[in-house]
Amino acid sequence: MSRDNVLLVEDNSDDVELMLHAFKKSRIANEIVVVRDGESAVDFLTRQGDFAGRQAGDHPALVLLDLKLPGIDGLEVLRRIRSNPETKRVPVAILTTSDDDADIVRGYDLGVNSYIRKPVDFSAFTAMVEQLGLYWLVVNVASPT
Amino acid sequence: MQQRHGKTFAPGSMSPATASPARLDFPLEDVDAPLKVETTGSRLRSSIGLRLLVLVVLFSMVVTAISTCGQLYLDYRRDLAAIETHFDEVEHSNLNVLASSLWNVDVEQVQALLDGLMRLPDMQAATVTEAGDYASHLVLKAGSPQAHPALFRDFPIVYTADGVTQRIGTLHMEASLDGLYHRLQRTAVTTALTQAVKTFLISLFVMLLFYRLVARHLTTISQWLAGFTLVGDRPALALAGKPGAHPDELDRLVAALNSMTNRLRNAYQALTNANRQLEAQLLARQQAEREIHRLNAILEQRVAQRTMELQAANEELSAFAYSVSHDLRAPLRRIEGFGQILTAEFSERLDQRGLHYLDRMCAGSRDMADMIDSFLRLSRSTRGELTLDDLDLSEMAQAAFQQLQEKSPERIVEVTVAPALSARADRRLMGVVLENLFANAWKYTRKTPAARIQFEAFDNGDGVHGFFVRDNGAGFDMANAKRLFAPFVRLHRTEDFEGTGVGLTTVQRIIVRHGGRVWADAAVGQGATFYFTLWERGSTNES
């Protein structure tokens, strides 16, 4: 795995499919790793459980985090990422359908890098994914560790 | 003598005759417990009749004593004068015979004369002493002379012989006062006894009279008064054998007592009635208070229950809103997403009807997304804290119109926004209000040539001032004005003007939270004006 990976935390397979479609449409070649719940996301980042064999220091360039997840929810995943010294500098963007003010505030309080509301319109969604990839995978400079 | 009177009438040794009326004077003791006494002295002081008796007796004794003394003195003077008269009679009638007898030295005759003198009343002694230079005088005596007689007189015995008058001796006579004193004593005893008996009888009579006329009535009055009560049907006070033909002081007393009793009873009755009324009022008030307390408790319980229900409902609503914002929109977005992929990448494989259905499906999902968004706005307009700022409404209005213009650049609308409109309100919510009102005006002027929209302030002069949004669009029938602000109510067909029917409801809720009102004025085809006010009760802060 290279550091160009994107970790997509999304439980709904349709949403995963649409997201992958949008990534393909916007010609982003980075590998997309998909996990379907919060525990798996934390395991992936901290190399535990199914992901125990991953190389240390290999962090994704971006974590795309849904809020509504089975088991521990998105905000709790964010809290654990930020409270772990190893993963605390990983860029995390919340990508959700919720525009609830409380969710937004709590997300930023927990140190999210970006809060993105999924547009209902699919073409707008595709455009958003393109901008997202361009910014976080090309423009943005990640922390070296 | 006085001591004898005292013994006879001393209260301690009362005779049966005096005890009887005295006892009649005392029934007060049986009636009036506090006056009950045991000693003779206080018994005397507690009976008017007995006191009257004692006073009358004392006064009579004093008067009797004084009059008896006067009488005795007069008797004494009279008896003294009688003795003097006897002496004078001796001088006039006996002295000449005695002189001739003495001259003749007829001793027997002289002695007989002296014995005769001694028969005069009160005479004690008579002595004849011969005068002259003889060695032995002739001295003749009758009776027993005293060394210091109480009363005496010396008569010179003068004899005239041959024209020569010479003193031949002296007659010395002594009188005794013993008889006089004895008579006086007898008179005194007789007078005192007579007076005492008379005084006693008069006193007795006065007492009987007093009892008959006064004391028994006083007893009746005191018994009646002792048994007097303010309630009940005791007969009025009446005295035996009264009133007579001529009402006296007692009759007036009885009349006054009876009238006082009536007034007392009336006053007591009035007081009792007032008291009863007060008690009834008090009872009623207590009952009312208890009822109020009970109702208050029920009310508080209900309020608490409703509050809990409301809180539960609010929490449910929040959960619902969250669920709507997330769970319902997600599948909708998927429909939209796959629909667009179908449209973009598979349209050549669909025929005309297939494309139409695909288009309708996407339009339906868009409408539903709009609806969900407006529901969420409505739900959020009533929740959360108000953050009040001084807002530049003119600037916010310009920005909102600019957005509308950008969404439909082909529209030509004459927009007038009054400058420097400001208000203290929550920025986000006031933004929702302006967006909704302007969007409505924008929407309903779509079919109007030369569309005009105004946003200005108004002041009707009664202290009511606020803002209005006016358009010259489709308007509506004022008959429907009341339903305008109810949720999900639409006055136009969706084919004519799209919408969800919650925009004005949201506006109204926000305005109410800002202490204001919102109302409309419109006519079909003439356009509509929406007025709103803020903080009408003078408060600029929501508690």
Side-chain angles (χ1 to χ4, degrees):
Chain A
M1 285 189 190
S2 75
R3 298 198 52 182
D4 297 339
N5 288 348
V6 173
L7 177 64
L8 176 63
V9 189
E10 172 64 70
D11 68 316
N12 188 285
S13 56
D14 287 345
D15 284 337
V16 171
E17 201 178 324
L18 285 168
M19 179 67 83
L20 293 176
H21 187 88
F23 268 108
K24 200 171 76 186
K25 277 279 172 188
S26 53
R27 295 179 298 280
I28 291 171
N30 303 58
E31 188 186 349
I32 314 288
V33 179
V34 179
V35 291
R36 306 295 289 271
D37 56 54
E39 274 93 353
S40 301
V42 175
D43 283 353
F44 179 86
L45 289 169
T46 56
R47 301 185 315 282
Q48 286 173 342
D50 293 344
F51 306 98
R54 274 202 335 116
Q55 198 186 330
D58 181 16
H59 297 305
L62 177 66
V63 176
L64 286 173
L65 187 61
D66 191 12
L67 287 182
K68 194 92 186 288
L69 294 170
I72 58 172
D73 69 2
L75 288 170
E76 176 61 17
V77 173
L78 176 63
R79 196 189 62 75
R80 293 193 189 182
I81 291 172
R82 286 294 180 251
S83 59
N84 188 325
E86 200 187 335
T87 59
K88 66 181 181 186
R89 299 192 187 90
V90 174
V92 178
I94 288 172
L95 190 61
T96 179
T97 47
S98 166
D99 62 349
D100 192 277
D101 287 352
D103 283 343
I104 298 169
V105 169
R106 282 186 63 206
Y108 280 112
D109 283 351
L110 289 170
V112 78
N113 298 87
S114 183
Y115 192 103
I116 299 152
R117 194 182 164 216
K118 290 179 189 170
V120 174
D121 186 273
F122 187 69
S123 50
F125 179 70
T126 309
M128 185 273 297
V129 169
E130 195 175 345
Q131 286 173 16
L132 194 68
L134 182 70
Y135 179 78
W136 284 108
L137 303 175
V138 180
V139 178
N140 188 52
V141 177
S143 170
T145 55
Chain B
M1 275 159 59
Q2 286 199 353
Q3 204 177 358
R4 284 174 67 187
H5 276 273
K7 267 184 185 167
T8 309
F9 295 102
S13 60
M14 209 173 289
S15 66
T18 55
S20 174
R23 205 185 302 127
L24 282 170
D25 275 342
F26 274 97
L28 262 177
E29 286 185 5
D30 304 324
V31 173
D32 222 339
L35 283 178
K36 192 160 189 169
V37 284
E38 300 297 332
T39 63
T40 306
S42 49
R43 195 178 174 200
L44 178 68
R45 281 191 289 274
S46 68
S47 165
I48 298 172
L50 211 54
R51 223 181 317 169
L52 197 64
L53 176 68
V54 169
L55 288 174
V56 166
V57 166
L58 281 176
F59 183 72
S60 303
M61 284 194 309
V62 170
V63 169
T64 305
I66 291 170
S67 66
T68 306
C69 286
Q71 184 64 47
L72 289 178
Y73 179 69
L74 288 177
D75 287 358
Y76 173 74
R77 291 289 301 272
R78 191 195 61 208
D79 283 8
L80 278 184
I83 290 171
E84 292 291 338
T85 307
H86 293 318
F87 283 145
D88 290 345
E89 281 172 6
V90 169
E91 187 175 14
H92 289 122
S93 56
N94 297 77
L95 215 51
N96 288 332
V97 182
L98 193 64
S100 63
S101 298
L102 189 59
W103 182 262
N104 297 324
V105 195
D106 187 350
V107 175
E108 285 179 10
Q109 184 68 24
V110 170
Q111 191 65 48
L113 280 169
L114 283 180
D115 290 342
L117 283 176
M118 283 305 290
R119 279 193 293 274
L120 286 169
D122 295 322
M123 289 301 154
Q124 184 177 267
T127 307
V128 171
T129 309
E130 191 184 12
D133 302 328
Y134 312 113
S136 56
H137 310 295
L138 183 65
V139 177
L140 290 171
K141 291 181 186 171
S144 46
Q146 303 283 313
H148 303 286
L151 203 61
F152 68 92
R153 200 185 279 188
D154 291 320
F155 304 99
I157 303 171
V158 178
Y159 187 77
T160 307
D162 308 323
V164 179
T165 301
Q166 60 180 336
R167 183 174 168 171
I168 58 168
T170 305
L171 175 63
H172 174 81
M173 287 196 72
E174 290 179 19
S176 165
L177 291 180
D178 286 351
L180 186 149
Y181 288 146
H182 185 70
R183 282 194 304 277
L184 283 181
Q185 196 176 12
R186 216 171 45 211
T187 308
V189 169
T190 311
T191 310
L193 277 175
T194 315
Q195 289 290 333
V197 170
K198 188 191 78 188
T199 301
F200 174 69
L201 288 175
I202 287 174
S203 299
L204 215 57
F205 177 69
V206 165
M207 258 187 70
L208 279 171
L209 214 58
F210 176 77
Y211 170 73
R212 180 79 195 153
L213 289 179
V214 180
R216 65 179 182 130
H217 294 313
L218 286 179
T219 305
T220 308
I221 290 173
S222 70
Q223 276 173 339
W224 187 85
L225 280 177
F228 174 74
T229 51
L230 284 169
V231 289
D233 275 341
R234 266 174 69 100
L237 175 62
L239 301 178
K242 277 186 162 296
H246 304 287
D248 57 15
E249 289 91 337
L250 277 174
D251 292 318
R252 288 198 289 276
L253 175 65
V254 166
L257 271 176
N258 278 332
S259 115
M260 187 193 74
T261 305
N262 284 335
R263 286 200 303 275
L264 267 179
R265 284 205 171 120
N266 288 340
Y268 179 76
Q269 193 62 39
L271 272 177
T272 308
N273 287 342
N275 208 25
R276 211 170 286 150
Q277 282 179 355
L278 278 177
E279 274 174 8
Q281 285 177 358
L282 191 67
L283 205 67
R285 187 172 297 178
Q286 282 172 342
Q287 274 178 348
E289 274 174 9
R290 275 199 295 276
E291 185 66 10
I292 286 172
H293 280 305
R294 194 179 66 82
L295 289 176
N296 266 345
I298 291 175
L299 197 63
E300 274 170 25
Q301 199 184 350
R302 276 189 194 160
V303 166
Q305 196 183 342
R306 292 287 142 82
T307 307
M308 273 175 56
E309 285 172 5
L310 266 180
Q311 278 173 348
N314 266 340
E315 279 162 22
E316 222 169 274
L317 193 67
S318 296
F320 173 73
Y322 188 85
S323 172
V324 163
S325 74
H326 200 277
D327 293 357
L328 287 189
R329 262 213 314 231
L332 204 58
R333 210 185 47 77
R334 285 171 212 137
I335 295 169
E336 170 84 2
F338 289 117
Q340 287 203 4
I341 293 172
L342 264 181
T343 312
E345 298 175 21
F346 300 90
S347 53
E348 68 272 15
R349 301 192 205 171
L350 289 170
D351 61 5
Q352 205 59 38
R353 275 177 66 192
L355 284 175
H356 173 72
Y357 293 147
L358 188 60
D359 180 53
R360 291 331 304 150
M361 193 185 82
C362 289
S365 64
R366 270 196 304 274
D367 286 352
M368 189 168 167
D370 285 348
M371 251 185 237
I372 289 170
D373 282 350
S374 50
F375 292 168
L376 282 174
R377 269 200 297 277
L378 173 61
S379 136
R380 282 175 197 160
S381 66
T382 53
R383 288 188 298 135
E385 291 281 307
L386 284 186
T387 310
L388 298 182
D389 289 312
D390 290 318
L391 306 179
D392 185 343
L393 294 186
S394 302
E395 192 188 312
M396 289 172 72
Q398 294 285 8
F401 278 122
Q402 206 171 332
Q403 274 190 359
L404 289 168
Q405 187 70 68
E406 281 168 6
K407 273 188 186 171
S408 29
E410 76 287 354
R411 291 283 307 276
I412 298 169
V413 179
E414 184 192 335
V415 172
T416 314
V417 174
L421 299 179
S422 65
R424 186 163 179 80
D426 184 285
R427 180 175 291 279
R428 189 176 64 82
L429 293 178
M430 194 45 65
V432 172
V433 167
L434 294 182
E435 278 161 26
N436 267 295
L437 292 178
F438 296 159
N440 277 349
W442 192 265
K443 186 163 66 183
Y444 292 111
T445 52
R446 192 165 65 205
K447 296 174 181 176
T448 308
R452 274 198 320 277
I453 301 176
Q454 292 166 265
F455 177 50
E456 288 176 24
F458 75 91
D459 189 341
N460 71 355
D462 291 342
V464 178
H465 50 88
F467 309 93
F468 67 86
V469 178
R470 177 170 293 152
D471 66 63
N472 61 345
F476 57 86
D477 188 349
M478 279 301 282
N480 295 320
K482 277 190 180 172
R483 297 168 55 222
L484 204 56
F485 297 98
F488 312 118
V489 169
R490 304 210 59 238
L491 301 184
H492 299 271
R493 292 189 303 168
T494 314
E495 286 83 351
D496 296 335
F497 295 102
E498 73 289 346
T500 55
V502 290
L504 285 177
T505 311
T506 308
V507 166
Q508 193 200 32
R509 299 231 174 134
I510 293 172
I511 293 298
V512 167
R513 285 196 72 188
H514 284 76
R517 290 179 296 143
V518 58
W519 67 97
D521 188 15
V524 176
Q526 307 279 309
T529 306
F530 284 86
Y531 301 90
F532 66 91
T533 61
L534 300 173
W535 312 121
E536 262 200 59
R537 281 157 292 184
S539 155
T540 55
N541 280 298
E542 196 181 62
S543 59

